[in-house]
Each structure stands twice: as structure tokens, then as C-alpha cells.
Amino acid sequence: PGGGSVSALTGALGASLSSMVACLTHEKKGNIDLKPEMDQIGVESQKLLRKLLYLIDEDTQAFNNVIASNKLPADNEEDQKYRIQEIENSNKYATDIPLETAKLCLQVIVLSRKLIELGNPNSVTDASVAAEVAAAGVKGACLNVMINLKEIRDSSFKTEKSTEVTKIIRKVNKIKKDTYDQTIKVIKNL
């Protein structure tokens, strides 16, 4: 698998861990008040898991589309125009897939942060690991977006996607530090 597929896989692992922590918290005696929120987090984690698992293969398909479009004939002016447009379209799709991965991984981190705060304290490191691997997924996916943008001619598309990547990375860096600090706090209070 390529880096985009691995980024989606790491996000899926984080979603799976988040689901497990929500389940463990839900089932722990004395957590009756948390059950509705843990249900919601568990369901959302499973949705994210399914979407990220789909993106593992879709990233590979997007890459294959780029390769195929670059192999199109360019024997005459009409073929050349068609080939250029297909290359542009496939490169845009190959940019959109890892960007979607980054956004979903960010959602995993947000859920993990809630679990660190509210979840079963004995599972706090599982929730923290979910955030860590999802952060790796975000950053890996964003790197793929950035390199794929280099091949795109549409300047407004490039600006829009580059701005999104910058915002996502800033959010992840802030949440990740907060998540780690909160994990340490919970561990010390055990």
C-alpha cells in the first residue's frame, strides 16, 4: 500500500480503539450516566472505521487512475486535450481522497479526546493511542495532498486544498498536545 492507504489504515486503527474504549466505559459498573454518550461515541467510531477502511482501497484506486491517465495516447491534438483533462481529473481525485482521510482522522482524534476525559480511566492509554495513530494518519494524508497538489494546474483548487490542509494540521497539533497532557493527568490520578 501507498502512504495514503497507510494513513487511512492508521485512522481506522484509531477509530477501532476509540470504539473499544467507549464499549469498555459503557459496560463498567457505575457509569450509567455516561452510557448514552458512550453509545454515541461507539457508533460514531464504527462509522469512521468503515469510511476509513473504504479509503484504504480508494486511495490505491486513485493512484491507479493517475497512472492510467498518464498512459493515455497523445497522438493528435484531440487525444492530447483529452489526456491533459484526464490527468488533471485523476490528480484532483488523488488529492481529494487523502484529504478526506485527514478529515476523518481528525474526527477520530476529537472522539479520542472525549474518551480520555470521560472514558474508563483504566483505558486512558488506549484512547490516547487512538489519538496518536489518528494524528499520524492526518499528517500522512496531508503530506499526500501536498505532493499531489504539485501536479494540478487549477490554481483555485490548489489554493483551496492547501488552505484546508493548513487548518487541519493546526487543529491536530493543538488537540494532540492537549490529548497527551490530559492522558498524563489521568494516569497520575489513578
Side-chain angles (χ1 to χ4, degrees), residues 17 21 112 116 123-133 179-180 183:
L17 272 171
V21 174
S112 300
I116 290 166
S123 299
V124 69
T125 55
D126 295 312
S128 190
V129 169
E132 292 289 335
V133 296
T179 300
Y180 182 82
T183 301

Side-chain angles (χ1 to χ4, degrees), residues 106-135:
L106 179 57
Q107 290 178 39
V108 171
I109 298 168
V110 170
L111 290 178
S112 300
R113 176 63 180 90
K114 287 181 187 177
L115 289 166
I116 290 166
E117 184 180 330
L118 301 173
N120 183 339
N122 294 319
S123 299
V124 69
T125 55
D126 295 312
S128 190
V129 169
E132 292 289 335
V133 296

